[in-house]
């Protein structure tokens, strides 16, 4: 998927995990799906009634850590209790948003370690040492900021800062209504087993619309679907547009054979068909 896809998941995402290792692994599946289908943003909304041992801060931290290139993780995150089992996270191997991973010059994420005079900064982008780079006139950077570095040669090092977003997704905290009200929300989809079935005939138009306009796709948790979280009766689905802010309610796993579809499973099941050309 392209053109601004936002994935919206609850703070209760890992409510059914038996321990922190399993909770971390479940979040890793969501992160993996987001990267595979080029999601640009993951929003974690509060569902405190559905949380158990681990809530929104844990979910956001693990998601953000997973999206951080391995060569920057130690500097950005150091040691945090939320990341105790980060070793079980699947590697994301984020590719650039344009072009292929094998093309040169290579785009790398870096972190500004020092802001110096004459519009120059030092950036750690996973090379042998931090490198000194000129800041383009279109950019203003501060220490600790993540930036995109275009590397055209490693020996000798030739690189430059580019005014482009870093690859992968960003992680934010916001409630559902705030997220749906954004100007660039695109097609606003609520996922629920009580929504309209996603069919082959409907997919062609919907997939094209999501690619052209972007999409904001909201998921509930295994024990609490979006209707319950928002206080909407499942009997009222599908609801009219803009009530309570969705363009449509969609069942992306029709005729499911399991009583409960886990959130990480629903994410894959939803993003895959919408990405079809």
């Amino acid at each position: 998927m392209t053109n601004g896809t936002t994935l919206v998941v609850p703070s209760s995402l890992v409510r059914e995990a038996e321990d922190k290792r399993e909770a971390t692994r479940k979040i890793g599946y969501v992160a993996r799906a987001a990267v595979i289908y080029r999601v640009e943003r993951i929003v974690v909304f509060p569902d405190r009634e559905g949380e158990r041992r681990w809530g929104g801060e844990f979910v956001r931290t693990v998601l953000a850590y997973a999206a951080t290139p391995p060569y920057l993780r130690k500097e950005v995150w150091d040691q945090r209790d939320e990341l105790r089992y980060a070793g079980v996270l699947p590697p994301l191997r984020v590719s650039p948003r344009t072009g292929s991973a094998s093309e040169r010059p290579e785009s790398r994420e870096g972190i500004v370690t020092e802001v110096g005079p004459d519009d120059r900064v030092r950036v750690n982008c996973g090379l042998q040492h931090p490198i000194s780079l000129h800041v383009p006139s279109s950019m203003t950077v501060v220490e600790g900021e993540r930036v995109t570095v275009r590397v055209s040669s490693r020996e000798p090092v030739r690189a430059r800062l580019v005014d482009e977003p870093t690859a992968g997704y960003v992680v934010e905290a916001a409630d559902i209504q705030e997220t749906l009200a954004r100007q660039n929300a695109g097609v606003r989809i609520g996922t629920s087993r009580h929504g309209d079935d996603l069919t082959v005939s409907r997919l062609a138009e919907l997939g094209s619309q999501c690619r052209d306009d972007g999409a904001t796709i909201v998921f509930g948790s295994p024990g609490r679907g979006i209707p319950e979280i928002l206080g909407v009766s499942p009997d009222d689905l599908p609801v009219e547009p803009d009530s309570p802010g969705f363009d449509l309610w969609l069942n992306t796993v029709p005729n499911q054979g399991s009583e409960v579809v886990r959130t990480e499973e629903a994410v894959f099941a939803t993003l895959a068909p919408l990405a079809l050309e």
Side-chain angles (χ1 to χ4, degrees):
M1 298 185 69
T2 58
N3 200 19
T5 302
T6 297
L7 197 65
V8 188
V9 297
S11 60
S12 56
L13 173 66
V14 294
R15 60 175 276 137
E16 294 187 342
E18 294 184 359
D19 53 37
K20 188 175 288 187
R21 179 188 294 272
E22 182 185 352
T24 302
R25 183 180 291 109
K26 288 169 72 72
I27 296 172
Y29 293 146
V30 174
R32 184 76 177 150
V35 168
I36 289 173
Y37 296 107
R38 293 189 179 274
V39 167
E40 292 189 2
R41 179 184 299 105
I42 301 180
V43 175
V44 181
F45 69 85
D47 176 30
R48 295 184 178 85
E49 290 184 27
E51 293 175 11
R52 289 182 179 170
R53 285 173 287 181
W54 306 287
E57 183 176 356
F58 176 79
V59 174
R60 293 192 304 271
T61 297
V62 176
L63 283 171
Y65 178 88
T68 304
Y71 53 82
L72 291 180
R73 286 176 174 174
K74 183 176 181 180
E75 180 167 345
V76 173
W77 296 101
D78 198 12
Q79 293 186 353
R80 298 184 56 163
D81 183 63
E82 296 97 323
L83 302 173
R84 180 177 180 183
Y85 294 106
V88 305
L89 291 170
L92 301 190
R93 299 179 62 85
V94 180
S95 61
R97 293 195 181 278
T98 57
S100 68
S102 61
E103 291 178 346
R104 293 296 185 268
E106 174 191 10
S107 291
R108 297 176 68 85
E109 182 175 336
I111 184 168
V112 177
T113 59
E114 181 182 347
V115 176
D118 302 323
D119 295 323
R120 298 195 69 84
V121 294
R122 293 187 68 80
V123 178
N124 177 4
C125 58
L127 301 179
Q128 187 173 3
H129 303 287
I131 55 178
S132 177
L133 298 173
H134 174 74
V135 180
S137 58
S138 61
M139 296 179 63
T140 301
V141 300
V142 297
E143 186 174 329
E145 183 175 351
R146 298 190 197 185
V147 292
T148 300
V149 178
R150 190 71 52 76
V151 180
S152 56
S153 172
R154 292 198 178 196
E155 293 184 4
V157 174
R158 294 190 180 94
R160 61 188 177 93
L161 285 181
V162 291
D163 193 4
E164 298 176 0
T166 55
Y169 57 79
V170 297
V171 182
E172 300 176 2
D175 62 34
I176 293 178
Q177 288 76 11
E178 176 186 352
T179 304
L180 295 176
R182 292 179 177 179
Q183 189 172 8
N184 61 347
V187 185
R188 301 167 298 179
I189 301 172
T191 59
S192 171
R193 66 184 300 177
H194 304 288
D196 291 330
D197 287 351
L198 178 60
T199 61
V200 174
S201 59
R202 187 172 195 177
L203 181 59
E205 179 181 356
L206 180 59
S208 177
Q209 186 178 4
C210 290
R211 287 190 296 274
D212 292 342
D213 301 335
T216 297
I217 309 172
V218 186
F219 296 85
S221 66
R224 282 167 55 86
I226 305 173
E228 183 178 354
I229 292 172
L230 294 179
V232 176
S233 171
D235 296 333
D236 295 334
L237 300 183
V239 298
E240 294 299 320
D242 295 325
S243 176
F246 293 94
D247 294 313
L248 70 157
W249 292 84
L250 205 59
N251 177 13
T252 56
V253 192
N255 302 314
Q256 65 188 57
S258 173
E259 292 183 4
V260 175
V261 176
R262 297 169 180 170
T263 305
E264 64 272 20
E265 297 168 337
V267 169
F268 272 104
T270 302
L271 296 181
L274 294 179
L276 294 174
E277 295 290 344

